[in-house]
Amino acid sequence: MYMKEVTIKNQIGLHARPATFFIQKANEFKSSIWVEKDERRVNAKSLLGVLSLGIVGGATIRIIADGAEEQNAVDSLVKLVETGFNE
């Protein structure tokens, strides 16, 4: 299991468009991947799950992966978040 915390950089947060980018990136990996905010954990490959966390700009989330390519999966998702989803 591998995990990292990251702060959401874009002002609006993880709304539908950036959440879609996030999920598409997560689906590139075979690992089980979760997003955790305020002790709630959801499947990072589920749009409804990610949106249900209500992640706003400035929030800190934890990205957790387990399985094949877990470190690469987490690092890639952290990088995507740190770029502000190119918004």
Side-chain angles (χ1 to χ4, degrees):
M1 186 173 292
Y2 183 76
M3 69 179 81
K4 275 190 177 178
E5 286 191 354
V6 63
T7 301
I8 304 299
K9 305 265 187 217
N10 59 329
Q11 293 180 342
I12 299 173
L14 213 56
H15 59 90
R17 184 170 168 263
T20 301
F21 293 145
F22 188 87
I23 290 153
Q24 287 172 341
K25 179 60 78 177
N27 277 304
E28 293 176 11
F29 301 97
K30 294 179 182 174
S31 304
S32 295
I33 307 170
W34 301 275
V35 178
E36 195 172 77
K37 178 183 170 260
D38 299 333
E39 300 182 25
R40 281 194 56 219
R41 184 183 286 192
V42 298
N43 182 346
K45 298 178 181 183
S46 163
L47 181 60
L48 240 53
V50 172
L51 290 175
S52 74
L53 291 176
I55 301 168
V56 296
T60 299
I61 61 170
R62 181 176 293 137
I63 302 171
I64 306 160
D66 190 28
E69 304 178 297
E70 61 189 28
Q71 185 170 351
N72 190 23
V74 170
D75 291 342
S76 294
L77 290 166
V78 166
K79 184 177 178 181
L80 180 64
V81 171
E82 288 176 341
T83 64
F85 304 94
N86 300 316
E87 288 195 322

